[in-house]
Amino acid sequence: MATPRLRRLIAAASLPLTVAATMAVLPSTANALSSDVVISAVYGGGGNSGAIFKNDFIELANITGAPIDVSTWSIQYASAAGAVFQMTNLSGSIPAHGKYLIQEAAGAGGTTNLPTPDASGSIPMSATSGVVALVTAQIPLVGCGISCSTAPNVKDLIGYGATANVETLAAPGLTNTTANARSGAMTDTDNNSVDFTAGVPKATNTAGTTVSADNPGGPVDPTPGTVRIHDIQGAGRISPIVGQNVTNVPGIVTAVRTTGNARGYWMQDPSADADPLTSEGIFVFMGSTSPTVVSGDSVLASGRVTEFRPAAGSQALTELGGTITTTKLTSGNALPAAIPVAFPDAYTKSGALEAQPLEPSSYVLDWLEIHEGMRVTIAQDTRLVSPVNTEFDELWVTLKPGQNPTPRGGAVYKGYDDPNSGRIMLLALNGAPAANVGSTLAAGSTGVVDYQSFGGYVIQATELGAITEGTLKRQKVLPPKKQGDLSVATYNVENLAFTNPDAKFARLAEAIVTNLGKPDIVALEEIQDNNGATNNGVVAADQTIAKFIAAIVAAGGPTYDWRSINPNDGTDGGEPGGNIRQVFLFNPARVTFVDRPGGDANTAVTVLRERPTSNQIFLSASPGRINPTSTAWNTSRKPLVGEFRYDGDKQLFVIANHFNSKGGDHPLSAAVQPPNRTSEVQRLQQAGEVRDFVQDLVTKSAGRAEVVVLGDLNDYQFSPVLETLTVGGTLLKTLIDTLPADERYSYVFDGNSQVLDHILVSPAIKGYSYGVVHINAEFSDQASDHDPQIVRILTGCNSEPLPTRCLPGSPVVDM
């Protein structure tokens, strides 16, 4: 796979901006700035005179994108003057970007219970001054005096009021009706006076339930605040008031999300300002709490202005987060009119986009940014350039039907400078039916513009136009013209394991027999060990392979033999526990595999001559692996090399590959353009290893070696990786380049039909026919996410000039 498939519906959440504090030499400096869990609020006036809440409380916040286990942690409290800490042990975990509530002692007064606490103690906290420490152990703090912020295991500490036991300077002193809350974007500067602000007590638990002392269920303030959505969005990509709390921002709810950990609602101000660069829409993030509002409600929303980045390198989504308070005013209001989507010609400009002015009439990404959170509509019929992903209700369409179309209805990706600017992703909030590439989406799809990882900008569609299915058919290989032609295929079978359903094996087997025409040799990628993703040290895949071969026989195919090398456990990447590897299947009635002992997970195969001056070469081990201990293959699949004999005694070397994935690369919509291709560094090293091995084959055979290099190279035909591997086409020929430009693809990602899988041949292979067999990537119903490829090495092509049938261009696939 090019990119992990479990990647959709990325949870939109509030992430802190990093703030660096410049400090003079002050009394106490904590161990380190806490980058994961911080104390977010303290209140000691519970049950006292004038208090609303019955109990004291301490609130924690997880400022990361993953849950954090606190089951061995504690909260500890000491008086302002004392050095004796009382302790409350914690349990469970804090959800990603979530809160955690510790309830302490109750007083005699108060009228309101806290939300259900996540931990409870009986510590009577001071309403005015005290010290609270978050400790990553359940051992009382002793002997730290007034420097407890630097004591071992102290994650975070707040001293409030008249105490010297602080991080740098004390937080404000409190009263029976005020609490200290970490301000802004939950930043920890290790200065309590900077990090905390006194205000109305509000408490939130891990379920996302919030109770505020200024509105514990009574009347609400129906007065809109002074800040509007366009003030929050501003005329750039980053909000001019990011990190600030805003109160009673008015809007009309336009859509809601009630599932996952990114629940919330979108709202839009129907009274736009005069600046066309300021969006009038915004997402209100509520974490795991489902909103109670519905589309058409007029609301006032209060919260913290945040910029959420779904992934490394992505742009930021401006939203309201933190502790959200929503006041519903009226229901059944008309929604703001949806704006027709109209993309300019260019996709984006170069450089750091967030530092540049918005130019929506020139660049697609700028047009989408100024409509972030707003209702838009696709006013014309469009064409699907990806199959509908029915698991996540996603589809991609093109608004520019003439832009790089494939003959089968997709949009081919031709180069880094041409990402197909007409593409846009729709996520159907009410579900989407299965449909294939080339199908028609009727005009009228309407929703709000959002930004999420991988796909970048997306229309969260509340209304989806009708889809008319096209006539796309799965392809088949044409019959060979001569009996002696040798067929070699590559197929990424997407994490095939013995534990998979029989139906998957049957589908893949049918492809081998019917669509690929029973190839003589098949290089398989992503064959898992016998127990699949179960991570228990098993590395053998014999049961998986035997089950696949049996399925091929049941489908009417030959009884293939096979060769492979088991990897060391947990070393070759892929799904944890799966131990994926490449496997050769071959038809022993058509070819002979030359077995030579010595190949294992750690031994490098080498090229040997029969005699020092001979051009006759052989492998030191067959099957073997190319330099498997090289750092180029760290946590990645090692190439599998095998020697075959065919058509009498002709020698053929086949190298099956699965280079490292594109995981970690920045998306096409990245905040800095062009996007950083971080994963390319390792693939370049891998390409160099394979290139050197092929060069050795060719050199030692005086150019006579017939070599087929194939597999999932996880990179494009125009990439530096392919340039390195082929030495600019002089060492190996990239067969995908022999197809018409609009047919060069084997995979569909984010609406781009692109090349990840390859077959390359050495110059000694003169006559061949080649094709990509489109049976998966364009279809909603897939046996794998990759399309297979096949090359036929044609017989009788050793003379010069080449016979007509040996000339490149002879079709192998029924279009």
Side-chain angles (χ1 to χ4, degrees):
M1 295 183 289
T3 305
R5 299 295 293 178
L6 293 177
R7 60 181 177 82
R8 300 301 189 186
L9 294 179
I10 302 299
S14 303
L15 290 180
L17 298 179
T18 301
V19 177
T22 302
M23 304 176 187
V25 178
L26 294 165
S28 175
T29 302
N31 286 331
L33 303 177
S34 181
S35 60
D36 48 18
V37 178
V38 294
I39 298 169
S40 53
V42 294
Y43 173 61
N48 293 354
S49 176
I52 298 296
F53 286 127
K54 297 177 181 179
N55 290 74
D56 302 338
F57 71 84
I58 301 154
E59 182 191 87
L60 309 178
N62 176 0
I63 57 177
T64 76
I68 293 181
D69 184 2
V70 294
S71 59
T72 59
W73 296 14
S74 63
I75 275 289
Q76 302 191 29
Y77 171 83
S79 66
V84 177
F85 280 84
Q86 302 175 71
M87 183 170 67
T88 300
N89 290 337
L90 307 185
S91 62
S93 63
I94 313 178
H97 305 297
K99 300 289 183 64
Y100 185 101
L101 183 62
I102 304 103
Q103 176 178 283
E104 295 295 356
T111 59
T112 301
N113 291 321
L114 294 168
T116 303
D118 303 298
S120 296
S122 57
I123 300 172
M125 297 168 58
S126 169
T128 57
S129 303
V131 182
V132 176
L134 174 60
V135 183
T136 58
Q138 295 180 347
I139 302 171
L141 294 171
V142 293
C144 53
I146 62 170
S147 301
C148 293
S149 65
T150 60
N153 301 319
V154 173
K155 167 71 68 172
D156 194 17
L157 180 143
I158 172 178
Y160 60 96
T163 181
N165 202 348
V166 298
E167 289 183 350
T168 308
L169 294 173
L174 301 178
T175 68
N176 292 343
T177 58
T178 59
N180 268 322
R182 193 174 288 271
S183 55
M186 290 291 160
T187 304
D188 181 17
T189 70
D190 278 358
N191 186 335
N192 294 156
S193 67
V194 171
D195 292 344
F196 288 90
T197 303
V200 175
K202 294 181 181 180
T204 303
N205 60 15
T206 54
T209 303
T210 300
V211 178
S212 175
D214 63 353
N215 182 27
V220 297
D221 178 6
T223 306
T226 58
V227 176
R228 295 294 188 268
I229 293 174
H230 47 251
D231 299 322
I232 297 171
Q233 289 284 6
R237 283 186 155 81
I238 302 298
S239 170
I241 56 172
V242 63
Q244 297 183 24
N245 292 315
V246 292
T247 303
N248 283 5
V249 179
I252 304 295
V253 176
T254 56
V256 297
R257 183 159 58 208
T258 58
T259 59
N261 292 320
R263 303 180 192 189
Y265 60 90
W266 289 267
M267 67 177 189
Q268 186 169 331
D269 193 333
S271 300
D273 66 358
D275 189 345
L277 299 182
T278 57
S279 170
E280 301 295 338
I282 198 166
F283 181 65
V284 181
F285 170 72
M286 299 178 66
S288 57
T289 302
S290 293
T292 58
V293 296
V294 297
S295 183
D297 285 349
S298 174
V299 299
L300 303 175
S302 302
R304 187 177 66 251
V305 179
T306 62
E307 293 287 351
F308 168 59
R309 294 189 191 278
S314 70
Q315 295 192 51
L317 174 68
T318 305
E319 61 184 21
L320 286 186
T323 300
I324 297 295
T325 301
T326 302
T327 301
K328 184 169 75 172
L329 302 178
T330 61
S331 299
N333 297 277
L335 301 185
I339 297 170
V341 179
F343 285 169
D345 291 336
Y347 187 65
T348 191
K349 53 200 145 187
S350 297
L353 301 185
E354 290 168 3
Q356 302 182 51
L358 294 171
E359 300 175 80
S361 62
S362 299
Y363 301 104
V364 171
L365 292 187
D366 288 11
W367 190 96
L368 288 163
E369 172 62 29
I370 71 164
H371 295 97
E372 182 184 83
M374 295 179 65
R375 293 186 78 232
V376 298
T377 187
I378 297 178
Q380 74 268 30
D381 290 356
T382 53
R383 188 179 79 247
L384 269 64
V385 290
S386 76
V388 175
N389 183 326
T390 54
E391 181 180 1
F392 299 109
D393 296 314
E394 296 172 350
L395 59 147
W396 287 80
V397 298
T398 180
L399 303 181
K400 300 174 182 178
Q403 187 177 61
N404 297 326
T406 72
R408 295 167 59 83
V412 71
Y413 185 43
K414 293 184 176 180
Y416 296 120
D417 59 345
D418 189 9
N420 288 316
S421 62
R423 299 170 304 116
I424 184 67
M425 176 180 153
L426 286 81
L427 194 156
L429 293 175
N430 297 315
N436 302 327
V437 164
S439 299
T440 299
L441 176 67
S445 294
T446 301
V448 291
V449 175
D450 192 21
Y451 188 90
Q452 55 96 39
S453 182
F454 294 95
Y457 289 100
V458 57
I459 298 175
Q460 301 276 356
T462 54
E463 304 168 47
L464 189 69
I467 295 178
T468 302
E469 183 64 85
T471 59
L472 199 67
K473 303 296 183 185
R474 288 182 166 87
Q475 293 182 317
K476 297 180 181 180
V477 169
L478 295 168
K481 292 183 178 179
K482 281 194 174 183
Q483 186 67 29
D485 294 347
L486 180 77
S487 54
V488 184
T490 176
Y491 197 1
N492 182 321
V493 291
E494 194 180 8
N495 288 326
L496 185 65
F498 178 76
T499 53
N500 287 159
D502 292 347
K504 178 170 182 176
F505 281 89
R507 286 280 306 277
L508 293 168
E510 181 184 8
I512 295 290
V513 174
T514 302
N515 301 96
L516 289 172
K518 309 173 188 176
D520 301 316
I521 301 170
V522 185
L524 300 173
E525 299 88 53
E526 292 197 21
I527 292 288
Q528 291 196 344
D529 63 34
N530 292 331
N531 57 24
T534 300
N535 196 357
N536 62 354
V538 170
V539 294
D542 55 313
Q543 295 175 29
T544 303
I545 301 166
K547 186 174 179 178
F548 191 25
I549 292 172
I552 293 171
V553 172
T559 302
Y560 283 101
D561 202 346
W562 64 279
R563 296 292 186 275
S564 187
I565 293 176
N566 291 332
N568 294 318
D569 186 36
T571 61
D572 281 23
E575 188 175 26
N579 288 311
I580 57 175
R581 82 291 308 277
Q582 295 86 266
V583 172
F584 291 129
L585 299 185
F586 61 94
N587 184 351
R590 298 276 297 137
V591 297
T592 300
F593 190 88
V594 180
D595 286 295
R596 291 194 180 89
D600 59 32
N602 304 310
T603 302
V605 63
T606 59
V607 181
L608 302 175
R609 287 191 177 102
E610 287 194 355
R611 297 182 305 278
T613 59
S614 171
N615 294 330
Q616 189 64 42
I617 60 173
F618 62 97
L619 301 177
S620 61
S622 178
R625 295 176 115 193
I626 294 178
N627 202 9
T629 59
S630 166
T631 57
W633 310 113
N634 285 352
T635 319
S636 185
R637 284 68 56 185
K638 288 70 175 172
L640 180 68
V641 185
E643 181 181 335
F644 294 85
R645 299 282 175 166
Y646 75 101
D647 192 22
D649 199 35
K650 292 181 180 176
Q651 188 180 43
L652 179 68
F653 298 96
V654 182
I655 304 174
N657 302 273
H658 188 183
F659 287 2
N660 74 299
S661 80
K662 290 183 174 293
D665 286 6
H666 293 177
L668 291 179
S669 57
V672 177
Q673 294 287 334
N676 193 335
R677 305 191 299 270
T678 57
S679 68
E680 186 179 87
V681 174
Q682 187 176 6
R683 284 195 302 282
L684 284 168
Q685 296 171 343
Q686 294 174 343
E689 292 280 359
V690 177
R691 174 204 61 210
D692 292 348
F693 187 82
V694 173
Q695 186 65 69
D696 204 23
L697 285 168
V698 172
T699 300
K700 288 179 177 175
S701 68
R704 295 166 53 190
E706 294 189 4
V707 185
V708 176
V709 176
L710 75 176
D712 180 0
L713 302 185
N714 266 316
D715 226 326
Y716 315 119
Q717 71 276 23
F718 48 78
S719 68
V721 170
L722 268 294
E723 175 75 15
T724 298
L725 177 59
T726 65
V727 193
T730 60
L731 178 65
L732 291 166
K733 186 178 184 64
T734 306
L735 295 189
I736 196 79
D737 287 338
T738 67
L739 299 180
D742 59 359
E743 296 179 20
R744 298 173 187 172
Y745 63 95
S746 64
Y747 190 83
V748 177
F749 183 73
D750 283 358
N752 275 330
S753 295
Q754 55 193 250
V755 179
L756 294 181
D757 310 271
H758 291 271
I759 297 180
L760 319 169
V761 296
S762 64
I765 297 177
K766 303 294 186 183
Y768 57 84
S769 59
Y770 161 82
V772 180
V773 188
H774 298 299
I775 58 175
N776 288 317
E778 299 167 311
F779 296 87
S780 277
D781 179 21
Q782 300 178 344
S784 167
D785 49 353
H786 290 251
D787 286 332
Q789 299 184 21
I790 191 166
V791 62
R792 283 210 187 104
I793 301 174
L794 307 178
T795 62
C797 297
N798 298 322
S799 60
E800 295 289 349
L802 286 176
T804 302
R805 73 176 295 270
C806 299
L807 297 174
S810 176
V812 69
V813 178
D814 182 4
M815 297 299 292

